[in-house]
Amino acid sequence: MQKARIGVTGLAVMGRNLARNLARHGHAVAVHNRTQSRTKALVEQFGDEGTFLPADTPEQFVASLERPRRLVVMVKAGAPTDAVIEEFAPLLEPGDMIVDGGNANFLDTRRREAALRERGLHFVGTGISGGEEGALHGPSIMPGGSAESYAALGPLLEDISAKVDGTPCCTHVGPDGAGHFVKMVHNGIEYADMQLIAESYDLLRHAAGLAPAEIAEVFRTWNAGRLDSYLIEITAEVLAHTDAATGRPFVDVVLDQAEQKGTGRWTVQTALDLGVPVGGIAEAVFARSVSGHAALREAARGLPGPSRTGAAGAGFADAVERALYASKIVAYAQGFHEIQAGSAEYGWDIDLAAMATIWRGGCIIRAEFLDRIRAAYEADPHTPTLLTDDHFAAAAGDAQDAWRDVVATAARLGIPAPGFSTALAYYDSLRADRLPAALTQGQRDFFGAHTYRRVDREGSFHTLWGGDRTEVTS
């Protein structure tokens, strides 16, 4: 009886396409779905793409896998994932592995990895980016788990991943939940990147007065330069598209309420727990949240605001490009800072240059820009922030005047630009000699005796605000 090198259970679009990708690369793939009709449909429609071993039951599925068994779970995150694990784990033997390819919360992955390790099983939380097309043609893959599991699983994942300059967009990220953590932050950066692009469109339309088709051409020009990326490319396509039913620009018939599935929110929540400032990502999450509060927006629509007459003049599109590039640097700097902090907190030893390398292809944020980030962390793995790298520091400095003009124009015309504004504030906060946090800490000491430290000597101090205001050592 032929054995499969790897198996996929959960044959919705992502699972089906991942199984097809494996089969297209010459790997025999066991396939299983709770609803047997999906398994049958996959084999009937795509059986000529490679070797599929369909299984009707979990027992048949496990029996069809060679040892060590590599079982990829592609179901919804949360309780459904736990249910599948509990269904299959008793059928496996020590050394076998369960691979979770969904968008799981990394804390759930840490819990599952620890529990299965006690049973002698490997649990590999694996981030997969690229959507359904990436799953089929080559995604960016971020597996966590043990080094031992990667030795058995990694070659297959590298084989089916995207390739850039011959390098697979897949690497072992680190132990337990590291893979899903990095995928979470990837998605948070994606939120910020998309928000900045949306703000650029809004400014070009309502400050520069350009039509969607004209803005599409601006984005195509940008995509031929340093902003070359998948997101810029598809933005041009969306803006150039005309709605067949109405003849209007497609962007004008889409309801302006952006949805989200949770990974951006997790990125912000985790950053708060780690004490890492990710304002750009947070503003992107909140911008989607604001867009979805239709009743609130309707109630506030009559609030006074500035006239949008006397819009931006010549050269504004170039200024927006500079502001977009600088703000993008900030978004990625914040995301990589969070990965750095998470790696230190959980002892993962994540290679930041490697993360930039595997994001260059297959994933949603793939961009020429990531080569620069890879080079920065290869030159200095301990770079505190991308903003101090020579290339990015120079780029942000060069963009500074245009960046400030764009933010000022947005404020003057009443065009919301939280991504640009927050990115600039973060940049200014990092470069400031002194921050008003000194006053904040003084206030905290006044009302709560929270103490403060001084610039001229060591120790913690408290002023007796309710008494004679002498200073005492805490």
Side-chain angles (χ1 to χ4, degrees), residues 31 78 124 127 150 177 227 344 417:
V31 288
V124 184
Y150 192 79
L227 287 171

Side-chain angles (χ1 to χ4, degrees), residues 437-447 452 465:
L439 175 59
T440 303
Q441 194 61 22
Q443 293 169 327
R444 294 182 74 242
D445 187 61
F446 190 104
F447 66 68
Y452 52 88
W465 298 102

